[in-house]
Amino acid sequence: MRSNVFAWLMVVGILGGLILPGLVFTQGTGRVYNPRLRRTYATVNEALAQSRNGDTLLVVGKVEGAVNFSLAPGGVTLIGRTSGGIPATITLETCLPNLAVIDTRGRQGRVQIIGITIEVPPGCYGILSRDSGRPLTVRDCRLVGRDRSALFSGIALVNEFGGPFLIQGNQITNQLVSAAILVVGRGAQPLQAIVRGNRIESDVTAGIIVSDIPSGSSVVIERNVLDGGDLGRGAVGILLNPGSTRVTVQRNTILNFGTGILVDGSPGSKILANHLQDNGVGIVVDTTTPSGGALVINDNNITCTSLAACRVAGAVGLYFAGGTYTLDARNNYWGASTGPDSGEDPAPGNSTCPEATGSNCAGPAGGGAGL
């Protein structure tokens, strides 16, 4: 009996020697832990400098200081761990000349940033990637302004190529300058990027901006929820700038923006099955640059909570700003199967009612809550 108890205690002791150091290191707040080395660091940069390719670093509690992934000799995964009810947070008091709390531009391999709250000072990016081409994942993070009354930017891919890039499940709140999420390509070099399942809300200047995506790329913007919070401002939910070739924008929910989706000079792009509600204009096409006949806008739900309020605000469902090609905008839903609400110029011969007949638009249209 004693020998059995002794053997059991020996096993417990061995397991404790293997497990407890890790548990001890991860207790408390404001530390970064490398499980491979069983070492803790006061800052992320210290941990990156002593990492090796493939390491996972655990952020525990609130850690001060900017993060520079060029210090790591290879790819690193940065994961947040809640400790004592305190979420893993990286915070920076004032913006540095590199304009980023987390700077991934010089990464030497695949980088993943998962489950971390990032407090961003005014005028700064939360996460910045530029001219790398190496894979990057930003998942389940929360980006907030350190000064809740000031403007900041969220996640930016600038002059990027290659990849793949995955921006998924993040939450970006407060006022934002330029964009909550920015995806900009580089020249003729294709890139692969997915922006999926993010939530962007509250006084957003621009939700998601996509620019300069060359032929051969694969860029998908899907299942995001964007709430601009202000119908009267000039804010844009999703913006495809000129040169954004073959971008797919699908199954997003876009609420309370000046413009829900703006597509400009984006040949081959597809705007599919999005829900657009209570925006000043649901979808605007080609305000400056023609996209060409391959642009498709199908199966979207474009509507208002209060048709009367949207009429007073001068809201419009779909505005084609003067392209010389035939826009494929079939099978969109306007709140009812009879089509959009009629917006008629009462002057004789100036009926502008869509999908309707008769001088007073008394035909099949006018039943929907969409504009």
Side-chain angles (χ1 to χ4, degrees), residues 62-320:
K62 179 173 282 193
V63 177
E64 296 274 351
V67 176
N68 184 355
F69 272 92
S70 68
L71 297 172
V76 175
T77 297
L78 198 63
I79 299 178
R81 289 285 180 87
T82 298
S83 176
I86 300 174
T89 303
I90 295 174
T91 186
L92 185 63
E93 185 172 353
T94 58
C95 195
L96 300 179
N98 69 349
L99 300 178
V101 178
I102 299 180
D103 190 343
T104 71
R105 287 177 290 182
R107 61 188 181 277
Q108 302 302 307
R110 180 187 183 189
V111 163
Q112 299 185 83
I113 303 168
I114 301 171
I116 298 173
T117 294
I118 302 165
E119 293 184 345
V120 189
C124 215
Y125 292 101
I127 299 174
L128 176 60
S129 174
R130 181 176 183 138
D131 296 309
S132 172
R134 294 186 172 92
L136 173 66
T137 293
V138 181
R139 180 163 56 84
D140 300 330
C141 292
R142 181 170 178 261
L143 289 85
V144 299
R146 184 174 176 119
D147 180 348
R148 297 303 178 97
S149 64
L151 302 174
F152 73 98
S153 293
I155 302 166
L157 312 179
V158 181
N159 293 336
E160 274 296 8
F161 61 99
F165 300 92
L166 176 61
I167 312 298
Q168 178 172 308
N170 303 287
Q171 182 179 359
I172 305 174
T173 61
N174 281 32
Q175 294 176 305
L176 302 169
V177 63
S178 181
I181 299 174
L182 178 64
V183 180
V184 181
R186 186 175 76 171
Q189 296 176 275
L191 78 157
Q192 299 179 49
I194 296 175
V195 179
R196 175 192 294 142
N198 302 282
R199 188 171 189 93
I200 300 167
E201 59 187 359
S202 181
D203 293 327
V204 179
T205 302
I208 300 171
I209 295 179
V210 181
S211 298
D212 301 316
I213 307 302
S215 179
S217 300
S218 175
V219 176
V220 178
I221 313 297
E222 65 180 4
R223 298 186 182 278
N224 303 283
V225 177
L226 300 91
D227 189 342
D230 189 348
L231 180 62
R233 293 192 308 117
V236 179
I238 297 176
L239 169 59
L240 303 189
N241 272 325
S244 301
T245 305
R246 297 187 180 279
V247 176
T248 299
V249 178
Q250 61 186 11
R251 300 186 182 279
N252 301 281
T253 297
I254 305 171
L255 313 170
N256 302 313
F257 282 89
T259 301
I261 300 175
L262 173 54
V263 185
D264 200 9
S266 304
S269 293
K270 297 180 179 181
I271 313 300
L272 307 173
N274 300 282
H275 179 78
L276 299 110
Q277 183 172 321
D278 297 332
N279 301 290
V281 183
I283 301 174
V284 177
V285 180
D286 292 351
T287 54
T288 64
T289 306
S291 294
L295 179 61
V296 174
I297 300 177
N298 296 160
D299 303 315
N300 300 282
N301 182 18
I302 309 172
T303 188
C304 286
T305 301
S306 169
L307 182 56
C310 282
R311 279 176 173 165
V312 170
V316 175
L318 173 62
Y319 178 62
F320 189 17

Side-chain angles (χ1 to χ4, degrees), residues 39-79:
R39 292 191 59 183
T40 56
Y41 304 88
T43 68
V44 178
N45 282 348
E46 292 175 18
L48 289 172
Q50 296 192 29
S51 68
R52 72 181 184 192
N53 187 49
D55 272 358
T56 294
L57 304 178
L58 305 180
V59 177
V60 183
K62 179 173 282 193
V63 177
E64 296 274 351
V67 176
N68 184 355
F69 272 92
S70 68
L71 297 172
V76 175
T77 297
L78 198 63
I79 299 178

